[in-house]
Structure formats: C-alpha cells, structure tokens
C-alpha cells in the first residue's frame, strides 16, 4: 500500500517534470519560430509592381526590384528614408543587386498631390536631379506635420536650390499639365492594385513586406529573390 502510493507519487512527479519540459520546449520553439519566421506576415502578389514610367535607381538588369509606395507628406516615409533606405541602398542598389523605385501614394490630401505632381514634373524635366529632389522634399518635411507645409512655393524653392538654371514657369506648367496628372493616376492605380494601406509600403519583387522597418525581413526577402 505504502509502496504503491510512493510509486503513484513518483509517477505524478515524473508527469509534472515531463509536462514542464514539453511546455519549455514548446515555448522555446515558438520563440525561435517567431524570430526566424519573419516572412510570415509578408504578402505575395502575382507580379512585382510595374516600374514603367517610374523613377528607377540602379542597374536595370538587377534581379530584384525594391519599390516604395510613399508620400512626401508622410512622417514615417521620411523616417524610413533616413533609417532603412540608406542601408538598403548601400547593400543592394549601389552593388547592382537591386533597383529602387518610388510610387506616389496620396494618403494626405492636397499636399500629397502637390508633392506627387512636383515629383512627376521634376522626373520629366530634370531626370538627373530627380533623386536629389526626392530626398530634398523629405528633408523639407518639418517634424510634427499637422500644419500645411507642402505648398507649390516650397516645391519650387526646393527644386530651385538643386537646379540653379531651373525654369520656374516651365516647372509650374509641367505640374499643372495633364501628363503629370495621368502619371499620378497611374501611381494610384498601382496603389489600388497592390492594396497599399499604409505608407511607406515596401515591395521586394512581388512580395509586400509586412513591416517596412523590419530590415531583417527585407533582407530575407531580397536573399530569397536573389537565390
Ligand atoms: Ca510615378
């Protein structure tokens, strides 16, 4: 009787220990899975966004296309451009492994539209200065963006600082022309096609990255496309 009860006690003690071990292993596997399964929230589409009529930086033959859906009025886009983008540029674009394109996403009303039209007009008139203008426009974004700042005057000033021989009237006309509007509309078509819900949204070929600030997830997606 006594020895039976001791055996039962011993058995239940082992049961507790085994259960504890199983729980510890399960939790460990879950943590490892959370850390290594970085692509789980990424979404695959049938194709990469078309970069026809878009600004493209880098080697045209690169296997990977990095596309940012961005908005000059968006504070996170400014932050992304200052933190994640320089690393991606150095690792993949400057080395010829990837191209980079920017697609206008108009999530902040009229100011987004002014920035987008300016970006399309500068791309058409001064393509060599496009990326400098793109960066300068984000640099001009004040911290705490609630007030209006993205005005036609500001984009003209910003462009003029980069292109001393700039023809202001021509830039204004190009921004107001139907061609600029249809280019912005083309961007909006892509925004809808790829179901873009927030800016910046980053795509690596046909893969939409869940968290644009998760550098490791972006690197993993690029590595997969380079294989
Ligand atoms: Ca565009």
């Amino acid at each position: 009787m006594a020895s039976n009860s001791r055996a039962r006690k011993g058995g239940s003690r082992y049961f507790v220990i085994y259960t504890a071990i199983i729980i510890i292993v399960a939790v460990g596997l879950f943590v490892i899975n959370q850390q290594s399964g970085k692509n789980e929230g990424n979404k695959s589409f049938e194709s990469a966004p078309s970069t026809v009529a878009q600004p493209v930086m880098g080697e045209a033959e690169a296997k990977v296309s990095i596309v940012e859906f961005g908005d000059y009025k968006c504070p996170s886009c400014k932050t992304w451009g200052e933190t994640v983008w320089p690393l991606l540029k150095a690792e993949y674009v400057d080395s010829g492994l990837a191209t980079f394109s920017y697609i206008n996403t108009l999530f902040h009303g009229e100011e987004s539209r002014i920035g987008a039209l300016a970006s399309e007009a500068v791309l058409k008139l001064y393509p060599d200065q496009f990326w400098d203008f793109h960066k300068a426009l984000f640099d001009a974004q004040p911290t705490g963006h609630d007030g209006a700042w993205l005005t036609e005057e500001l984009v003209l000033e910003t462009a003029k600082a980069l292109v001393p021989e700039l023809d202001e009237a021509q830039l204004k006309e190009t921004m107001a022309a139907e061609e600029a509007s249809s280019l912005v509309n083309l961007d909006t078509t892509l925004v809808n096609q790829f179901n873009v819900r927030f800016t910046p949204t980053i795509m690596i070929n046909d893969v939409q990255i869940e968290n644009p600030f998760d550098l490791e997830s972006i690197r993993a997606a690029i590595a997969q496309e380079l294989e």
Side-chain angles (χ1 to χ4, degrees):
M1 219 35 215
S3 85
N4 259 352
S5 145
R6 213 166 23 239
R8 263 206 307 279
K9 250 189 213 157
S12 76
R13 190 160 51 230
Y14 282 124
F15 177 76
V16 167
I17 291 167
Y18 283 137
T19 306
I21 289 169
I22 287 164
I23 289 170
I24 288 165
V25 169
V27 168
L29 285 175
F30 175 75
V31 169
I32 289 165
N33 188 47
Q34 288 291 98
Q35 283 170 352
S36 64
K38 285 188 161 74
N39 291 329
E40 279 175 9
N42 294 349
K43 264 180 266 166
S44 285
F45 285 78
E46 280 179 10
S47 64
S50 163
T51 56
V52 171
Q54 303 298 349
V56 179
M57 185 194 286
E59 296 288 335
E61 300 80 31
K63 267 175 97 174
V64 173
S65 132
I66 304 171
V67 169
E68 175 188 2
F69 286 89
D71 183 338
Y72 293 104
K73 179 75 178 165
C74 146
S76 297
C77 298
K78 179 184 167 87
T79 305
W80 189 86
E82 291 170 353
T83 54
V84 179
W85 163 237
L87 300 170
L88 293 181
K89 180 178 184 291
E91 284 171 47
Y92 303 107
V93 181
D94 293 347
S95 62
L97 294 172
T99 57
F100 176 69
S101 295
Y102 179 84
I103 294 172
N104 289 295
T105 310
L106 281 61
F107 284 173
H108 294 276
E110 187 53 24
E111 289 182 79
S112 298
R113 185 165 178 80
I114 292 170
L117 290 169
S119 137
E120 300 294 354
V122 169
L123 181 63
K124 180 183 166 69
L125 297 175
Y126 309 102
D128 293 344
Q129 274 93 4
F130 174 78
W131 291 110
D132 288 339
F133 176 76
H134 170 84
K135 181 178 183 301
L137 212 46
F138 277 119
D139 288 347
Q141 184 188 114
T143 35
H145 80 122
D146 286 349
W149 62 272
L150 219 177
T151 59
E152 194 176 73
E153 292 69 45
L154 179 122
V155 298
L156 291 172
E157 267 171 41
T158 306
K160 209 162 181 170
L162 293 168
V163 187
E165 74 279 12
L166 182 100
D167 183 337
E168 254 185 71
Q170 189 194 24
L171 181 56
K172 273 170 121 172
E173 273 169 32
T174 310
M175 281 176 67
E178 206 169 315
E179 189 185 351
S181 283
S182 56
L183 287 168
V184 170
N185 290 343
L186 169 70
D187 289 12
T188 302
T189 304
L190 292 167
V191 167
N192 294 330
Q193 183 186 345
F194 290 92
N195 204 20
V196 172
R197 289 280 177 263
F198 58 84
T199 52
T201 285
I202 303 302
M203 290 198 59
I204 304 303
N205 287 351
D206 58 351
V207 176
Q208 196 170 74
I209 302 295
E210 182 184 30
N211 172 5
F213 289 92
D214 185 348
L215 189 57
E216 286 317 309
S217 170
I218 296 174
R219 282 182 175 137
I222 293 175
Q224 206 156 22
E225 297 296 318
L226 286 173
E227 266 172 17

